[in-house]
Every structure is written in structure tokens, then in C-alpha cells.
Amino acid sequence: MSERIHVMISEEQIRARVKELGAQITAEYKDRPLVLVCVLKGSFVFAVDLARAIDLPLRIEFLGVRSYGEGTESSGVVQITQDLSRPIASEDILFVEDIVDTGLTLAHLKDLFRTRQPRSVKVCSLLHKPARARVEVNIDYLGFTIEDKFVVGYGLDVAEKYRNLPFIGVVERD
Ligand code: 5GP
């Protein structure tokens, strides 16, 4: 069985959109310092590109999460495998996500973070698959809405493969 990757969103399209998102975030936070919380692992590529597109004083935190689920479906039960390096009380938090699918992971993380009393919590996701939403989560900054396909690349994997592709693609098997 051979695998090919069909390009869904090109490198150029991603670059242009990330630039726009960065400009929008810069304008909305004005000169307030921001904490980007990169939700590992899938968001690592998006987070570093987004950070460089934002012109604000910011720091980056990495949050390791593991979602218990059946196959490719997340269950919403999220375990923190690596926590932030510092408290976030009274700070403006921006979650950086690769994709919001069922919404369960983000809903859980937003609930958890509320107890740490940040000043604000917003969400920036590169991708959104509304067809599979199980809970409603507000995405404040969104890159692209996509159809219900399993995507890889630009940080996203299948069995740890394809994270290093510079574009978002769909695996085709024949
Ligand atoms: P949710 O809790 O919103 O269902 O799950 C979000 C997480 O599931 C994402 O952060 C990502 O790790 C994984 N995920 C959801 N859809 C896809 C997809 O199409 N491709 C890949 N590679 N991961 C996905």
C-alpha cells in the first residue's frame, strides 16, 4: 500500500494567513504583554511562526497534553503531561492550537485554566473542523475552516509522521 499526500492548504496560503492573524492579535492586545500557550505537540510549528508574526512583548509556554480516546477520536479526558513553567495569574493568555475538532480538549483546558485566575483567556487555532464539533468553543482567532478530513503536516501527525511537512495535507492510500 503506498501513501501520497494531497495538498489541502499550501505553504504560501499558511504563511499569508499567519501574518494576518499576527497583525490582528497585535492590534487587539495593543501593547499588553501576552502569554502564548502552545498546546503540544501538534501546535509547535504554528506557534513559532505565529510568535514571529506578533509584535508585542510576549512569552511562550508549552503545555503537554494527552487525550485519552479511541483511535483518532478524542474523549475529552485530557491529562497534562507537561505543565507551564510559571504561574499565569493576572496575565493575558492565548492558547495556540493546531486544530479544533470535537472541541473537547480546548473546553477542558479552558476550564482548567480558569482556576489559575488569568486576566483573560483567548484561543487561536490554525484549523477548525466544525462538522465534528461536540461542544461549542469560541475560537477568537481562526486560520482556516476545513471539511471533515484527517489532516497532517505543519505540526500535525499520523503516528508521529508528517509533522515536518510545510503544508497541510490529506493522506491518500492506494
Ligand atoms: P479535539 O479535542 O478538538 O477533538 O481534538 C483536538 C486534537 O485532536 C488536536 O489538537 C489534534 O492533536 C487532534 N486532531 C484532531 N483532528 C485532527 C486531524 O485531522 N489530524 C491530526 N493529525 N490530528 C487531529
Side-chain angles (χ1 to χ4, degrees):
M1 197 165 68
S2 72
E3 268 184 9
R4 278 175 294 111
I5 310 289
H6 167 77
V7 179
M8 182 190 261
I9 306 170
S10 71
E11 198 175 347
E12 291 71 27
Q13 284 174 295
I14 296 172
R15 194 180 304 126
R17 192 71 188 110
V18 170
K19 215 174 147 190
E20 286 171 359
L21 289 172
Q24 194 187 344
I25 292 165
T26 304
E28 286 181 21
Y29 283 86
K30 307 238 161 42
D31 281 322
R32 294 212 311 270
L34 185 61
V35 183
L36 294 189
V37 176
C38 170
V39 184
L40 295 171
K41 290 181 184 172
S43 306
F44 81 105
V45 178
F46 179 42
V48 292
D49 282 350
L50 184 68
R52 288 179 294 181
I54 297 173
D55 185 12
L56 292 171
L58 62 77
R59 64 184 179 95
I60 296 207
E61 290 283 351
F62 296 95
L63 187 70
V65 300
R66 183 184 298 140
S67 162
Y68 291 111
E70 293 289 311
T72 55
E73 172 90 15
S74 99
S75 63
V77 181
V78 178
Q79 185 195 4
I80 304 289
T81 57
Q82 180 190 318
D83 208 339
L84 309 187
S85 68
R86 287 207 240 157
I88 50 162
S90 309
E91 296 198 84
D92 288 308
I93 304 302
L94 183 62
F95 277 115
V96 181
E97 264 288 16
D98 48 359
I99 183 164
V100 176
D101 185 28
T102 62
L104 292 168
T105 304
L106 211 47
H108 182 88
L109 291 180
K110 282 184 92 173
D111 272 354
L112 180 72
F113 269 54
R114 221 162 275 137
T115 63
R116 301 183 183 188
Q117 300 177 318
R119 175 177 175 183
S120 69
V121 177
K122 287 193 175 183
V123 174
C124 178
S125 183
L126 180 69
L127 304 172
H128 183 212
K129 254 192 240 177
R132 289 175 35 97
R134 291 194 28 211
V135 282
E136 202 179 317
V137 266
N138 187 39
I139 305 172
D140 303 278
Y141 307 99
L142 174 64
F144 303 92
T145 298
I146 61 167
E147 55 185 307
D148 187 7
K149 295 237 164 91
F150 191 81
V151 290
V152 296
Y154 199 69
L156 289 148
D157 74 312
V158 55
E160 294 299 323
K161 232 165 85 175
Y162 301 125
R163 291 195 198 275
N164 56 331
L165 291 177
F167 55 85
I168 297 287
V170 180
V171 182
E172 288 174 348
R173 295 190 171 94
D174 38 42

Short mmCIF file of all heavy atoms in Angstrom, two decimals, residues 89-126:
data_model
loop_
_atom_site.label_atom_id
_atom_site.label_comp_id
_atom_site.label_asym_id
_atom_site.label_seq_id
_atom_site.Cartn_x
_atom_site.Cartn_y
_atom_site.Cartn_z
N ALA A 89 -1.41 33.92 36.82
CA ALA A 89 -2.38 34.81 37.45
C ALA A 89 -2.22 36.23 36.93
O ALA A 89 -1.09 36.72 36.79
CB ALA A 89 -2.21 34.77 38.97
N SER A 90 -3.34 36.85 36.61
CA SER A 90 -3.42 38.25 36.12
C SER A 90 -2.77 38.47 34.76
O SER A 90 -2.53 39.61 34.36
CB SER A 90 -2.79 39.21 37.12
OG SER A 90 -3.32 39.01 38.40
N GLU A 91 -2.49 37.42 34.02
CA GLU A 91 -1.87 37.59 32.70
C GLU A 91 -2.88 37.30 31.58
O GLU A 91 -3.87 36.60 31.78
CB GLU A 91 -0.66 36.67 32.57
CG GLU A 91 0.44 37.02 33.57
CD GLU A 91 1.77 36.42 33.18
OE1 GLU A 91 2.49 37.04 32.38
OE2 GLU A 91 2.08 35.33 33.69
N ASP A 92 -2.60 37.85 30.40
CA ASP A 92 -3.43 37.58 29.22
C ASP A 92 -2.88 36.34 28.52
O ASP A 92 -1.73 36.32 28.07
CB ASP A 92 -3.38 38.77 28.25
CG ASP A 92 -4.15 39.97 28.79
OD1 ASP A 92 -5.33 39.79 29.16
OD2 ASP A 92 -3.58 41.07 28.86
N ILE A 93 -3.75 35.31 28.44
CA ILE A 93 -3.35 34.01 27.91
C ILE A 93 -3.95 33.80 26.52
O ILE A 93 -5.15 34.03 26.32
CB ILE A 93 -3.88 32.86 28.82
CG1 ILE A 93 -3.41 33.04 30.26
CG2 ILE A 93 -3.52 31.48 28.27
CD1 ILE A 93 -1.92 33.08 30.41
N LEU A 94 -3.14 33.34 25.59
CA LEU A 94 -3.66 32.96 24.28
C LEU A 94 -3.25 31.51 24.01
O LEU A 94 -2.07 31.20 23.83
CB LEU A 94 -3.11 33.89 23.18
CG LEU A 94 -3.63 33.65 21.77
CD1 LEU A 94 -5.15 33.86 21.67
CD2 LEU A 94 -2.93 34.55 20.76
N PHE A 95 -4.24 30.61 24.01
CA PHE A 95 -3.97 29.22 23.66
C PHE A 95 -3.69 29.14 22.16
O PHE A 95 -4.47 29.67 21.35
CB PHE A 95 -5.20 28.33 23.93
CG PHE A 95 -5.31 27.89 25.35
CD1 PHE A 95 -6.37 28.30 26.15
CD2 PHE A 95 -4.37 27.03 25.90
CE1 PHE A 95 -6.49 27.87 27.46
CE2 PHE A 95 -4.48 26.59 27.21
CZ PHE A 95 -5.53 27.01 28.00
N VAL A 96 -2.63 28.47 21.79
CA VAL A 96 -2.34 28.25 20.38
C VAL A 96 -2.55 26.78 20.07
O VAL A 96 -1.88 25.91 20.61
CB VAL A 96 -0.89 28.67 20.03
CG1 VAL A 96 -0.62 28.45 18.55
CG2 VAL A 96 -0.65 30.12 20.43
N GLU A 97 -3.55 26.50 19.24
CA GLU A 97 -3.93 25.14 18.89
C GLU A 97 -3.71 24.88 17.41
O GLU A 97 -3.86 25.79 16.59
CB GLU A 97 -5.42 24.92 19.21
CG GLU A 97 -5.69 24.28 20.55
CD GLU A 97 -5.32 22.79 20.63
OE1 GLU A 97 -4.58 22.28 19.75
OE2 GLU A 97 -5.77 22.13 21.56
N ASP A 98 -3.38 23.64 17.09
CA ASP A 98 -3.27 23.26 15.69
C ASP A 98 -4.66 23.13 15.05
O ASP A 98 -4.92 23.66 13.99
CB ASP A 98 -2.47 21.95 15.54
CG ASP A 98 -2.94 20.85 16.50
OD1 ASP A 98 -3.88 21.08 17.30
OD2 ASP A 98 -2.37 19.74 16.46
N ILE A 99 -5.54 22.39 15.76
CA ILE A 99 -6.86 22.13 15.19
C ILE A 99 -7.90 21.94 16.29
O ILE A 99 -7.60 21.33 17.32
CB ILE A 99 -6.82 20.90 14.24
CG1 ILE A 99 -8.15 20.64 13.56
CG2 ILE A 99 -6.33 19.65 14.94
CD1 ILE A 99 -8.06 19.70 12.35
N VAL A 100 -9.07 22.51 16.09
CA VAL A 100 -10.20 22.23 16.98
C VAL A 100 -11.13 21.31 16.20
O VAL A 100 -11.64 21.67 15.14
CB VAL A 100 -10.92 23.53 17.41
CG1 VAL A 100 -12.14 23.19 18.27
CG2 VAL A 100 -9.96 24.44 18.19
N ASP A 101 -11.29 20.12 16.77
CA ASP A 101 -12.04 19.07 16.09
C ASP A 101 -13.36 18.88 16.84
O ASP A 101 -14.34 19.56 16.58
CB ASP A 101 -11.14 17.82 16.12
CG ASP A 101 -11.68 16.65 15.35
OD1 ASP A 101 -12.42 16.86 14.38
OD2 ASP A 101 -11.35 15.50 15.71
N THR A 102 -13.38 18.01 17.86
CA THR A 102 -14.60 17.89 18.68
C THR A 102 -14.75 19.09 19.61
O THR A 102 -15.83 19.37 20.10
CB THR A 102 -14.56 16.61 19.55
OG1 THR A 102 -13.46 16.72 20.45
CG2 THR A 102 -14.41 15.37 18.70
N GLY A 103 -13.64 19.76 19.90
CA GLY A 103 -13.66 20.90 20.84
C GLY A 103 -13.45 20.47 22.29
O GLY A 103 -13.29 21.33 23.17
N LEU A 104 -13.43 19.17 22.54
CA LEU A 104 -13.36 18.68 23.93
C LEU A 104 -12.05 19.05 24.62
O LEU A 104 -12.05 19.44 25.79
CB LEU A 104 -13.56 17.16 23.95
CG LEU A 104 -14.97 16.69 23.56
CD1 LEU A 104 -15.00 15.19 23.31
CD2 LEU A 104 -15.97 17.06 24.65
N THR A 105 -10.94 18.95 23.91
CA THR A 105 -9.64 19.26 24.52
C THR A 105 -9.61 20.71 25.00
O THR A 105 -9.27 21.00 26.14
CB THR A 105 -8.50 19.02 23.50
OG1 THR A 105 -8.58 17.68 23.04
CG2 THR A 105 -7.13 19.29 24.10
N LEU A 106 -9.99 21.60 24.11
CA LEU A 106 -9.92 23.02 24.43
C LEU A 106 -10.91 23.41 25.52
O LEU A 106 -10.58 24.21 26.41
CB LEU A 106 -10.18 23.82 23.16
CG LEU A 106 -9.49 25.15 23.06
CD1 LEU A 106 -8.03 25.07 23.43
CD2 LEU A 106 -9.63 25.67 21.63
N ALA A 107 -12.10 22.84 25.48
CA ALA A 107 -13.10 23.14 26.51
C ALA A 107 -12.54 22.74 27.88
O ALA A 107 -12.65 23.49 28.85
CB ALA A 107 -14.39 22.38 26.22
N HIS A 108 -11.89 21.59 27.92
CA HIS A 108 -11.31 21.11 29.17
C HIS A 108 -10.17 22.03 29.63
O HIS A 108 -10.09 22.41 30.79
CB HIS A 108 -10.80 19.68 28.97
CG HIS A 108 -10.23 19.07 30.19
ND1 HIS A 108 -10.99 18.38 31.10
CD2 HIS A 108 -8.97 19.06 30.68
CE1 HIS A 108 -10.22 17.99 32.09
NE2 HIS A 108 -8.99 18.38 31.87
N LEU A 109 -9.30 22.41 28.71
CA LEU A 109 -8.16 23.27 29.07
C LEU A 109 -8.63 24.65 29.54
O LEU A 109 -8.09 25.21 30.49
CB LEU A 109 -7.21 23.43 27.88
CG LEU A 109 -6.42 22.18 27.47
CD1 LEU A 109 -5.51 22.49 26.29
CD2 LEU A 109 -5.62 21.63 28.64
N LYS A 110 -9.66 25.18 28.89
CA LYS A 110 -10.17 26.50 29.30
C LYS A 110 -10.73 26.43 30.72
O LYS A 110 -10.49 27.32 31.53
CB LYS A 110 -11.24 27.00 28.32
CG LYS A 110 -10.62 27.56 27.04
CD LYS A 110 -11.67 28.14 26.13
CE LYS A 110 -11.87 29.64 26.36
NZ LYS A 110 -12.76 30.24 25.36
N ASP A 111 -11.44 25.35 31.02
CA ASP A 111 -11.98 25.15 32.37
C ASP A 111 -10.86 25.08 33.39
O ASP A 111 -10.91 25.72 34.44
CB ASP A 111 -12.76 23.83 32.45
CG ASP A 111 -14.20 24.01 32.06
OD1 ASP A 111 -14.59 25.17 31.83
OD2 ASP A 111 -14.91 23.00 31.96
N LEU A 112 -9.86 24.28 33.07
CA LEU A 112 -8.74 24.07 33.98
C LEU A 112 -8.00 25.38 34.27
O LEU A 112 -7.64 25.68 35.40
CB LEU A 112 -7.77 23.05 33.36
CG LEU A 112 -6.54 22.69 34.15
CD1 LEU A 112 -6.94 21.82 35.33
CD2 LEU A 112 -5.55 21.92 33.27
N PHE A 113 -7.81 26.16 33.22
CA PHE A 113 -7.02 27.39 33.36
C PHE A 113 -7.76 28.48 34.11
O PHE A 113 -7.15 29.36 34.69
CB PHE A 113 -6.55 27.88 31.99
CG PHE A 113 -5.21 27.32 31.62
CD1 PHE A 113 -4.99 25.96 31.64
CD2 PHE A 113 -4.16 28.16 31.30
CE1 PHE A 113 -3.75 25.43 31.33
CE2 PHE A 113 -2.91 27.64 30.99
CZ PHE A 113 -2.70 26.28 31.00
N ARG A 114 -9.09 28.43 34.08
CA ARG A 114 -9.87 29.44 34.78
C ARG A 114 -9.51 29.46 36.27
O ARG A 114 -9.47 30.51 36.89
CB ARG A 114 -11.37 29.15 34.59
CG ARG A 114 -12.17 30.40 34.36
CD ARG A 114 -13.53 30.11 33.76
NE ARG A 114 -13.49 29.98 32.31
CZ ARG A 114 -14.14 29.05 31.60
NH1 ARG A 114 -14.86 28.13 32.21
NH2 ARG A 114 -14.06 29.03 30.29
N THR A 115 -9.21 28.29 36.82
CA THR A 115 -8.88 28.20 38.25
C THR A 115 -7.54 28.88 38.57
O THR A 115 -7.25 29.17 39.72
CB THR A 115 -8.79 26.73 38.71
OG1 THR A 115 -7.73 26.10 38.00
CG2 THR A 115 -10.08 25.98 38.47
N ARG A 116 -6.73 29.14 37.55
CA ARG A 116 -5.43 29.79 37.79
C ARG A 116 -5.53 31.32 37.72
O ARG A 116 -4.53 32.02 37.79
CB ARG A 116 -4.40 29.28 36.78
CG ARG A 116 -4.22 27.78 36.88
CD ARG A 116 -3.15 27.29 35.94
NE ARG A 116 -3.03 25.84 35.99
CZ ARG A 116 -2.07 25.15 35.38
NH1 ARG A 116 -1.15 25.77 34.68
NH2 ARG A 116 -2.03 23.86 35.48
N GLN A 117 -6.73 31.80 37.52
CA GLN A 117 -7.06 33.22 37.54
C GLN A 117 -6.22 34.13 36.64
O GLN A 117 -5.65 35.14 37.10
CB GLN A 117 -7.01 33.71 38.99
CG GLN A 117 -8.04 32.92 39.80
CD GLN A 117 -8.02 33.26 41.25
OE1 GLN A 117 -6.97 33.42 41.86
NE2 GLN A 117 -9.20 33.38 41.83
N PRO A 118 -6.16 33.78 35.37
CA PRO A 118 -5.51 34.71 34.42
C PRO A 118 -6.40 35.94 34.21
O PRO A 118 -7.59 35.92 34.57
CB PRO A 118 -5.42 33.89 33.14
CG PRO A 118 -6.53 32.90 33.24
CD PRO A 118 -6.71 32.61 34.69
N ARG A 119 -5.85 36.98 33.63
CA ARG A 119 -6.66 38.18 33.36
C ARG A 119 -7.66 37.88 32.23
O ARG A 119 -8.80 38.30 32.27
CB ARG A 119 -5.70 39.30 32.94
CG ARG A 119 -6.41 40.53 32.51
CD ARG A 119 -5.43 41.64 32.18
NE ARG A 119 -6.17 42.77 31.65
CZ ARG A 119 -5.62 43.87 31.22
NH1 ARG A 119 -4.32 44.01 31.26
NH2 ARG A 119 -6.34 44.84 30.75
N SER A 120 -7.20 37.17 31.19
CA SER A 120 -8.09 36.78 30.09
C SER A 120 -7.56 35.51 29.45
O SER A 120 -6.37 35.21 29.54
CB SER A 120 -8.15 37.89 29.04
OG SER A 120 -6.90 38.00 28.36
N VAL A 121 -8.48 34.76 28.83
CA VAL A 121 -8.09 33.54 28.10
C VAL A 121 -8.73 33.59 26.72
O VAL A 121 -9.95 33.66 26.61
CB VAL A 121 -8.55 32.25 28.82
CG1 VAL A 121 -8.18 31.02 27.99
CG2 VAL A 121 -7.94 32.14 30.20
N LYS A 122 -7.92 33.57 25.69
CA LYS A 122 -8.44 33.51 24.32
C LYS A 122 -7.81 32.34 23.58
O LYS A 122 -6.85 31.73 24.07
CB LYS A 122 -8.18 34.82 23.59
CG LYS A 122 -9.08 35.94 24.07
CD LYS A 122 -9.03 37.12 23.14
CE LYS A 122 -10.05 38.16 23.60
NZ LYS A 122 -10.08 39.30 22.68
N VAL A 123 -8.35 32.07 22.41
CA VAL A 123 -7.91 30.91 21.65
C VAL A 123 -7.57 31.30 20.23
O VAL A 123 -8.33 32.02 19.57
CB VAL A 123 -9.05 29.86 21.60
CG1 VAL A 123 -8.69 28.69 20.68
CG2 VAL A 123 -9.40 29.36 22.99
N CYS A 124 -6.42 30.81 19.75
CA CYS A 124 -6.06 30.96 18.34
C CYS A 124 -5.82 29.56 17.79
O CYS A 124 -4.96 28.84 18.30
CB CYS A 124 -4.79 31.81 18.22
SG CYS A 124 -4.25 32.00 16.50
N SER A 125 -6.59 29.17 16.80
CA SER A 125 -6.40 27.84 16.21
C SER A 125 -6.16 27.99 14.71
O SER A 125 -6.84 28.77 14.04
CB SER A 125 -7.64 26.98 16.45
OG SER A 125 -7.42 25.68 15.93
N LEU A 126 -5.20 27.22 14.22
CA LEU A 126 -4.93 27.27 12.77
C LEU A 126 -6.11 26.70 12.00
O LEU A 126 -6.53 27.26 10.99
CB LEU A 126 -3.65 26.49 12.44
CG LEU A 126 -3.30 26.50 10.96
CD1 LEU A 126 -2.87 27.88 10.49
CD2 LEU A 126 -2.24 25.47 10.63
#
